[in-house]
Amino acid sequence: MQKIFKIYKGLQRPLVFKMFKGKYIYWAAGSMVSGIISGGIASSIFSSVVGISVMLGVTIPSLLYTIERQRKGMYAKKKETLIFIIKPSYKFRK
């Protein structure tokens, strides 16, 4: 009698963090980090109020852009509504 073992092959489902899936987790993390860095630079140069407004001004639009790109799909696909006619590359000889 043979023993049968199940092989564990990773997560078995897509990686999801909060509302971001797959590669968009990294996009969201990059948006947060870029907002924090730009807000920190602005607050060190000007004031803390300007730094907070710059941080929010960078983070929120970039997160909204990430959410919109995720909604469109994992891969950027062009949706053509045209009809393409492709000529055959072979020729019949009689």
Side-chain angles (χ1 to χ4, degrees), residues 24-86:
Y24 297 106
I25 295 171
Y26 300 111
W27 285 32
S31 301
M32 296 294 292
V33 169
S34 65
I36 290 170
I37 289 173
S38 61
I41 291 171
S43 67
S44 67
I45 294 173
F46 300 109
S47 68
S48 60
V49 174
V50 174
I52 290 171
S53 62
V54 167
M55 182 180 69
L56 292 176
V58 169
T59 304
I60 291 174
S62 59
L63 285 175
L64 291 175
Y65 175 74
T66 303
I67 291 168
E68 183 63 29
R69 287 294 301 249
Q70 179 176 332
R71 187 175 297 139
K72 287 183 180 177
M74 188 70 121
Y75 305 102
K77 297 180 183 176
K78 293 183 180 178
K79 295 182 180 179
E80 300 287 345
T81 57
L82 304 173
I83 298 173
F84 295 99
I85 300 173
I86 301 171

